[in-house]
Amino acid sequence: MTSPPVHGSQALFPVVDGNLVVGGIALPRLAQRVGATPFYAYDRALLSARVAEVRSRLPAGLQVHYSMKANPMPALVQHMAGLVDGIDVASAGEMKVALDTGMAPEHISFAGPGKRDAELLQAVAAGVCVHVESERELHALARMGDETGLAPQVVLRVNPDFELKGSGMRMGGGAKQFGIDAEDAPRALALAATLGLDILGFHVFGGSQSLKPEAIVQAQAQTVALMLRLAEASRDPVRLLNLGGGFGIPYFPGEQPLDLAPVGAALEQALPALRAALPQARLAIELGRYLVGEAGVYVARVIDRKVSRGQVFLVTDGGLHHHLAASGNFGQVIRKNYPVAIGNRMDAAERAPQSVVGPLCTPLDLLAERMELPLAEVGDLVVVFQSGAYGRSASPQGFLSHPEVVEVLV
Ligand SMILES: *Cc1c(COP(=O)(O)O)cnc(C)c1O
């Protein structure tokens, strides 16, 4: 049995008359406004506040990019576009949404392995910056440059010879499908020169979901050192350095929010040498879940309450088909409960262990396992916090053919 976690996310949303308030609207009314459950709701004010906080803690002039695979809802991406300096996309589909916001193409970057020729051509035609992950992509871009008469905007994504320690998801170091291995980067730079491609700079992404400032500081220091080495092998002046991101948010009991102060201080210290060595380089970080994860909730309605051999099951209309991560099946090794609440009984004193499940015919469809929750009834609204990132778009909506989930930005 787990005790109710107290997370930053829960404190971020006010409670009025026992109801959670999202985007200034009490949850029962918001559910009426949406017209259906389940739904995701993202709070604009929290999104704006988070970007402002990141900017206040990190050095002035450091560019903050939004990695939109964390949450590609067009209205949300539009909102983020007005707050950040660039948008990172990982497919032509995401690139369309980013371009639709009006973000300048040179501030959109397209990374990811296995970019198809059609996608590369779209990026070249748009003037979007392509983060190349292989020599094949260099050849393809050079050919497209010749065919279109356009100058492809190219950044070399490098697979570092280190990783972000303690990160939830390793995206660099060792053998990886991402980027060009650091030791092969000089060869790729020479190839680019032969092909007549102008390389704008470098991109290193060491990992994701880290809550340890010292690990992030270390990875950033290693990234800067690697980039300075790579710059020496570059024929072209370095105009962009993307240091990656990796900032995590707390999901589970005992996890502490990431302290950005040491990260900001270390970057501040590293900047003068970097600016002296590479005066033309814009410095950027790319953040997905840190910017949007805590600003979103998933809301499902209790449609049945069952007792099985003494255990209470709240059966909801939502589940893993909308929110795979909350069910514990999106990369987690050990299943733990996301922070969950009964959104219309936030003040209830009496609590009891209850499990929240979805309507799918699989025991994996579990949103909370024996959690201390207010005594809930049919019609109540179950809220899953920390749901603004890797929610709808990272879930198998087609599984069991239930209705699709609605998303609102409030
Ligand atoms: C997914 C991804 C990110 C964002 O990761 P978060 O954990 O959401 O911050 C950043 N950069 C690249 C290259 C990515 O693939």
Side-chain angles (χ1 to χ4, degrees):
M1 199 171 73
T2 46
S3 51
V6 181
H7 279 284
S9 64
Q10 265 158 301
L12 294 174
F13 296 94
V15 171
V16 175
D17 298 332
N19 291 314
L20 194 77
V21 175
V22 180
I25 308 173
L27 206 59
R29 179 165 175 189
L30 181 58
Q32 288 170 340
R33 189 189 113 159
V34 173
T37 51
F39 61 89
Y40 280 98
Y42 313 118
D43 189 315
R44 282 174 210 275
L46 290 180
L47 294 168
S48 301
R50 180 53 63 96
V51 177
E53 192 205 330
V54 167
R55 288 200 190 278
S56 76
R57 305 245 173 227
L58 299 183
L62 179 74
Q63 304 215 315
V64 178
H65 287 199
Y66 173 49
S67 295
M68 67 168 276
K69 81 170 188 289
N71 189 327
M73 180 204 190
L76 180 141
V77 179
Q78 182 75 59
H79 182 75
M80 297 304 286
L83 303 171
V84 297
D85 306 300
I87 301 179
D88 296 338
V89 306
S91 69
E94 288 191 355
M95 185 171 73
K96 179 194 182 299
V97 173
L99 286 167
D100 283 348
T101 66
M103 176 64 74
E106 62 268 27
H107 294 141
I108 298 174
S109 50
F110 181 7
K115 298 182 202 74
R116 284 171 280 123
D117 281 1
E119 292 180 296
L120 289 170
L121 182 59
Q122 282 177 271
V124 171
V128 158
C129 191
V130 179
H131 289 211
V132 299
E133 315 246 353
S134 72
E135 295 193 357
R136 184 198 68 85
E137 290 187 350
L138 285 174
H139 284 287
L141 287 170
R143 201 176 63 239
M144 287 163 194
D146 290 342
E147 283 168 11
T148 58
L150 300 166
Q153 306 292 300
V154 187
V155 164
L156 214 60
R157 179 168 179 188
V158 177
N159 177 28
D161 39 13
F162 55 86
E163 59 190 27
L164 174 55
K165 292 213 174 63
S167 59
M169 230 175 266
R170 300 224 167 90
M171 303 280 288
K176 288 282 180 305
Q177 70 267 50
F178 309 113
I180 291 169
D181 290 345
E183 53 277 25
D184 296 334
R187 197 180 73 203
L189 286 168
L191 173 65
T194 314
L195 294 170
L197 290 170
D198 176 16
I199 301 294
L200 295 171
F202 305 103
H203 173 211
V204 170
F205 182 60
S208 183
Q209 179 51 19
S210 174
L211 291 170
K212 299 196 176 74
E214 60 282 7
I216 292 173
V217 166
Q218 191 194 1
Q220 285 180 339
Q222 289 173 301
T223 301
V224 167
L226 171 59
M227 285 177 167
L228 286 170
R229 283 204 307 280
L230 295 171
E232 286 172 18
S234 183
R235 180 195 61 162
D236 307 310
V238 176
R239 280 142 290 165
L240 181 77
L241 295 174
N242 183 325
L243 300 178
F247 299 9
I249 60 172
Y251 287 99
F252 307 118
E255 290 185 342
Q256 294 301 316
L258 174 66
D259 180 8
L260 285 187
V263 179
L267 278 173
E268 196 78 65
Q269 273 197 324
L271 275 186
L274 208 51
R275 292 217 164 107
L278 306 171
Q280 296 189 42
R282 277 190 290 131
L283 208 61
I285 55 163
E286 46 178 5
L287 303 173
R289 93 178 67 226
Y290 192 78
L291 297 184
V292 300
E294 300 202 87
V297 292
Y298 176 63
V299 182
R301 199 179 288 280
V302 178
I303 50 181
D304 206 349
R305 181 182 176 282
K306 298 179 61 173
V307 182
S308 168
R309 309 217 158 100
Q311 246 197 74
V312 177
F313 290 89
L314 303 174
V315 186
T316 69
D317 53 7
L320 78 73
H321 55 311
H322 297 155
H323 202 333
L324 189 66
S327 77
N329 294 293
F330 188 58
Q332 296 96 327
V333 181
I334 302 165
R335 191 194 175 282
K336 294 181 201 156
N337 288 330
Y338 264 47
V340 166
I342 306 299
N344 55 309
R345 295 183 192 273
M346 298 300 288
D347 292 341
E350 207 184 335
R351 290 166 168 265
Q354 295 161 91
S355 292
V356 179
V357 300
L360 307 189
C361 286
T362 161
L364 300 177
D365 194 10
L366 187 60
L367 294 177
E369 185 172 23
R370 285 187 289 168
M371 220 170 145
E372 289 281 340
L373 292 169
L375 300 175
E377 291 170 12
V378 170
D380 282 351
L381 296 168
V382 170
V383 175
V384 182
F385 293 96
Q386 307 297 74
S387 297
Y390 303 106
R392 191 201 65 85
S393 70
S395 301
Q397 288 218 66
F399 189 35
L400 274 106
S401 304
H402 283 285
E404 296 215 339
V405 67
V406 183
E407 292 179 291
V408 290
L409 180 68
V410 284

